Amino acid sequence: MTAQAPHIVAVRGPVVDFACDGALPAIDDAVIADPDGLAVTCEVQAHLSETRFRAIALDPTQGLARLMPARLTGGPLAVPVGAAVLGRMLDVRGRTTDGGPSLPADTPRRAIHQPAPPLGTRGAEVHLFSTGIKILDLLAPLVQGGKAAMFGGAGVGKTVLVTELIHAMVTGYDGVSVFAGVGERSREGHEMLHDMANYGVLDRTVLVYGQMNEPPGARWRVPLTALTMAEHIRDADGRNVLLLMDNVFRFVQAGAEVSGLLGRMPSRVGYQPTLETEVAALHERITSGARASVTAIEAVYVPADDFTDPAVSVISTHMDSTVVLSRDLAAQGIYPAIDPLRTTSAMLDPAIVGADHARTAADVRELMEHYDELRDVIAMLGVEELGREEQLLVGRARRLQRFLTQPFFVAAPFTGMEGRSVSIADTVAGCRAIIDGQCDSWPEEAFYMIGTLAEARARAQGAAA
């Protein structure tokens, strides 16, 4: 090794310092440490002097030592894209982790750092993304190229909801789903892989995981790897993509770890000073293209249920729809356990969804809010103590709550109930009929776990007979 060749000068955990006598690599360029041995991929984060630069490792650094040679790649980390990655589980560098064969050598590659598409190239038309899930389509409608956040803890049906959305994209839009597992457990990754295979959607799904035991740099860049694969499918293949990220809060946490390791001064609540920039750089790339779109649905952990947390606040500013999952509803057997009062969407505009849809959604929320106010009174005194008008409203709210449940296709093997997909028009019409009192004589049980209102009518007629 000559003195002029790039080499390692210091290793401190996942932070590696290099020296080279030539031009320094650009920020975000990839550097391969010990290319003939461990081949640890690092990403340049700072220039220390005219001959030294600092990088964050995307692989474990055990075994690296001073004076080991390094290779400058001349560009950012590039990951495989295209048809070869469909049906596979990959890591942040695009290596397969599902035990299957390696990707073909001629698989095209694309850099994970890309600029956001210019405004002039984005699709101008707004197209609703119909999920077939009644409560989502009614209260938190998604648009193709939009972004939605799901706030929910463990055990409230978040994974089942995500999997059902993958099923909706694959079956309804001939699209592809890309799942980014940020800081996930290895068990969860393999469970997701087997679930996708069992549901028959794996051949149009890509799974990208940065596991909990990996260095913070790997967890920090996993969303960019998944987004790069999604962008290629959108731009090169012209197919719609559903990008699911679980959990975006861990992406922010990994960025905070990297920032601390690099010695940067922390910002509010200990977060990195570049929090807004990092979140914006990720989300501004999620949009519609000329022929197709990338639609994102992200799971977001809320620390201590504090929605004013800086990370939650920054992520929320980029969202079109906010979906809140309720543990109380899950305990009552109301699935999907989506809280109708805390779930909102900027797309609930008469100019986008239509006047009837917007008015019905507002009436549903108003009725459910009135029912929520009366729940304590009902629990203490019973519904019989309410006035006649209040009893009617409570009955309609309970029927509405049950009507907004539905069996999922991906849960059919466990529930024994065939899944239902309901159009937006049928959802709005059913809710309007309940609100207007057309179903007051039907038993509440007729509305539980059904698709359209026609099923409730058939159940009610069967019960009467």
Side-chain angles (χ1 to χ4, degrees), residues 14-16 41-45 54-58 217 220 258 261-262:
V15 178
V16 186
T41 301
C42 305
E43 189 176 272
V44 179
Q45 292 298 317
R54 180 166 291 167
I56 194 80
L58 305 185
W220 190 37
V258 169
L261 289 167
L262 294 174

Side-chain angles (χ1 to χ4, degrees), residues 37 53 66 78 100 103 131 138 174 238 299 315 356 453 455 458:
F53 61 92
R66 294 181 63 214
L103 299 177
T131 65
L138 178 71
D174 188 31
I315 293 170
D356 191 36
L453 196 64
E455 289 186 53

Side-chain angles (χ1 to χ4, degrees), residues 139 338-344 364-366 368-369 372:
L139 299 179
I338 295 173
D339 188 336
L341 302 181
R342 302 170 68 190
T343 295
T344 60
V364 166
R365 191 171 278 120
E366 182 181 357
M368 298 303 292
E369 187 173 8
D372 193 60

